[in-house]
Amino acid sequence: MDLLQAENLSKRFGGLQALYRVDLRVKEGEIVGLIGPNGAGKTTLLRILLGIHRPDEGRVFFKGKAITSLPTWERVRLGLAATFQSPRPLKRLPVIANVLVAAYGPRGGRKGDWVKRAEARALDALEFVGIADKAKEPASVLSGGELKRLEIARALATEPELLILDEPFAGLTPVETELLAKSLARLRKGGRFGRLHSEGCAMVIIEHKLSELFKIADRVVVLHFGEVLAEGTPEEVARNPKVIEAYLGEEAHA
């Protein structure tokens, strides 16, 4: 079953055609990699999925519901969350407080033990990404890799069914990259955390570190000049002559 459906999305900024008739589908529990050269339209697509930009054409559905015109906060309430390439923590606040900001957000209620449930959810999220031991420390002390995991913890605290990650491995050391990749693979498998069902949390991952992405992605979509150039398993995409010419060949010689 498709959890997310984006159909025929087009977006223009002045004279720049950022996206042109792009389709994207994500199944429950699936990890989809989104790759392409700089300027290919990846960030524009992400912002349309989140409701930051409205498409000039096309529609977006989440769990069968049309969300093309919904604001970002309503999409979060439905179960869609995201992290961004550059973490922006509340540096002077404790790590746990950074996550509570999300846990108290639009997916929670206002009755009964809502506050206690939100606090428990925030701590669960920190434990899941492996930084619960720093819950009471100010966010300013975290390393680059820990900040990335804090971003994921904040997103997890909203109890998403689809998580969109914008270059989660950017700027990380090899050790930090490996630790984060393991966390994402574990998240995909599901488990006891929050609302995650047995099939796990679906993900769309925008990434330039292809070796790490290809290890965990089920399917890869390649954008080039705002259009879908290719789509398939990581192995199929890596062998695609058009992708090699437009992107992978360039990366190999970078």
Side-chain angles (χ1 to χ4, degrees), residues 5-9 21-25 57-61:
Q5 293 175 276
E7 300 176 349
N8 202 38
L9 295 180
R21 295 182 178 177
V22 169
D23 292 337
L24 179 68
R25 284 173 167 76
E57 297 179 64
R59 301 180 299 173
V60 182
F61 297 87

Side-chain angles (χ1 to χ4, degrees), residues 3-63:
L3 182 65
L4 175 80
Q5 293 175 276
E7 300 176 349
N8 202 38
L9 295 180
S10 295
K11 182 67 178 179
R12 177 181 289 274
F13 297 100
L16 174 65
Q17 185 75 53
L19 287 180
Y20 184 68
R21 295 182 178 177
V22 169
D23 292 337
L24 179 68
R25 284 173 167 76
V26 182
K27 297 183 181 299
E28 293 181 353
E30 183 180 32
I31 296 181
V32 176
L34 185 62
I35 69 172
N38 290 331
K42 303 184 298 295
T43 299
T44 299
L45 178 56
L46 177 153
R47 288 174 174 267
I48 288 176
L49 297 179
L50 294 177
I52 299 171
H53 293 327
R54 296 285 177 86
D56 298 328
E57 297 179 64
R59 301 180 299 173
V60 182
F61 297 87
F62 185 65
K63 297 193 292 187

